[in-house]
Amino acid sequence: MSEYSTIVVSTDNRVGTIQLNRPKALNALNQELMEEVVSVAVEFDADPNIGSLLITGSEKAFAAGADIKEMADQDYPGMYASDWFRRWEDLANLRTPVVAAVNGYALGGGCELAMMADVIIAGESATFGQPEINLGVIPGMGGSQRLTRSVGKAKAMDMVLTGRFIGAEEAERIGLVSRVVPDDQTLSEARKAAELIAAKSKPAAQMAKEAVSASFETTLQQGTRLERRLFHSLFSLADQKEGMSAFTEKRDPEWKHR
Ligand code: CAA
């Protein structure tokens, strides 16, 4: 029996996979699931044998949002005291690259969870939305911030204020997802991407993630300076010599740092 009640966890080819598994609730993100997902992800992040994470759901739903039934009777003092949703920030702050494979609904917290990933591969019938406004609330897992940074004010306001759902094609057009693939290939394509990333030099992949992520937080000048310093620092690792020698010798690199 699995030691988790809301997720299924596996590792293969240096990829740590977390599958959300509350099918009866369309993978609604309750507190138990949050704790299980984040604690496993943090463990993967510290594991030298893991080079990337893959987060996925089911055919029908990546996740249909935070668990509305769990939240319905909560009050302000309790939400504030527990800093409801804060734990998800630990997932957003992982250093290991994360790929999300999204089929079906990615709504509210589901869309926000997908946006915490670095690469989002969506099936052609995936549906994204921030419908919290229809519940009398607003996004609470970073949607107002990450969505706006990904797709700009016009689209973010449209989604957050009207609560309208968008399909995968529109999500790709506006820059919310990285790629759209046939539904039956979502997981395999996402796995391929995760394996490709996990096969790179790990510090290079982590620093690439750090540099791109910094663009959400810094000025252009600070960001380009950070990028240069990270770039310079990679010259202290054997993998820079290996990668450049392999190129000139016309062979595949064999990374030392995994
Ligand atoms: N929380 C709790 N339970 C949920 C849920 C959610 N977010 N989404 C779906 N479920 C449950 C349903 O209540 C239902 O359970 P029962 O069988 O016990 O009634 C089961 O999952 C199946 O759902 P439906 O019968 O509704 O399935 P459907 O195919 O008719 O509709 C849907 C699918 C359009 C996704 C619909 O379920 C829906 O609108 N879900 C809620 C979407 C939503 O509002 N998400 C935002 C949540 S708030 C949030 O996420 C805050 C934040 O920023 C973090």
Side-chain angles (χ1 to χ4, degrees):
M1 254 212 24
S2 163
E3 58 186 297
Y4 308 105
S5 48
T6 64
I7 57 176
V8 177
V9 176
S10 58
T11 54
D12 193 24
N13 259 342
R14 297 180 50 77
V15 177
T17 301
I18 301 174
Q19 181 180 16
L20 310 182
N21 188 34
R22 295 187 70 210
K24 287 188 188 139
L26 301 184
N27 292 332
L29 312 169
N30 63 6
Q31 297 287 288
E32 185 182 20
L33 179 144
M34 173 177 74
E35 196 46 50
E36 289 190 345
V37 169
V38 180
S39 57
V40 170
V42 167
E43 272 175 40
F44 279 151
D45 197 39
D47 185 340
N49 297 312
I50 295 291
S52 69
L53 269 68
L54 176 59
I55 301 185
T56 190
S58 69
E59 265 173 47
K60 179 158 185 198
F62 178 72
D67 192 316
I68 300 167
K69 292 166 189 167
E70 187 181 56
M71 290 186 294
D73 293 328
Q74 297 295 323
D75 59 12
Y76 174 72
M79 290 298 243
Y80 183 77
S82 63
D83 202 1
W84 199 268
F85 296 146
R86 196 223 55 85
R87 180 80 164 124
W88 285 116
E89 287 300 314
D90 295 340
L91 184 78
N93 290 331
L94 297 181
R95 299 168 76 206
T96 308
V98 180
V99 177
V102 178
N103 269 344
Y105 295 110
L107 301 176
C111 186
E112 293 167 291
L113 174 59
M115 289 190 290
M116 288 177 204
D118 304 302
V119 176
I120 304 177
I121 311 285
E124 56 201 354
S125 357
T127 304
F128 296 83
Q130 297 291 160
E132 290 90 343
I133 194 90
N134 299 326
L135 300 167
V137 292
I138 66 169
M141 280 170 54
S144 64
Q145 305 304 300
R146 290 196 183 91
L147 184 64
T148 312
R149 282 164 169 78
S150 293
V151 306
K153 175 182 168 181
K155 285 290 180 183
M157 284 291 193
D158 183 10
M159 289 174 68
V160 170
L161 286 173
T162 69
R164 119 181 138 83
F165 296 170
I166 64 169
E169 194 194 319
E170 182 173 359
E172 186 184 30
R173 177 157 45 81
I174 67 178
L176 174 54
V177 307
S178 316
R179 287 185 234 164
V180 178
V181 298
D183 291 332
D184 61 358
Q185 290 168 31
T186 313
L187 192 55
S188 58
E189 287 299 316
R191 174 161 291 285
K192 266 191 230 163
E195 286 181 359
L196 208 55
I197 294 166
K200 311 284 182 202
S201 163
K202 189 167 177 179
Q206 287 185 321
M207 286 192 208
K209 170 171 177 162
E210 185 178 349
V212 175
S213 303
S215 71
F216 287 99
E217 315 261 359
T218 59
T219 63
L220 181 62
Q221 200 180 33
Q222 288 167 330
T224 50
R225 190 181 304 135
L226 171 71
E227 181 195 78
R228 276 198 312 281
R229 295 296 170 251
L230 291 170
F231 182 82
H232 299 157
S233 73
L234 287 166
F235 284 72
S236 66
L237 298 180
D239 283 346
Q240 172 268 327
K241 296 285 169 296
E242 171 61 13
M244 295 192 181
S245 309
F247 175 79
T248 50
E249 291 161 19
K250 301 189 190 299
R251 61 174 174 82
D252 288 337
E254 281 180 35
W255 304 121
K256 314 274 183 282
H257 299 285
R258 306 301 294 278

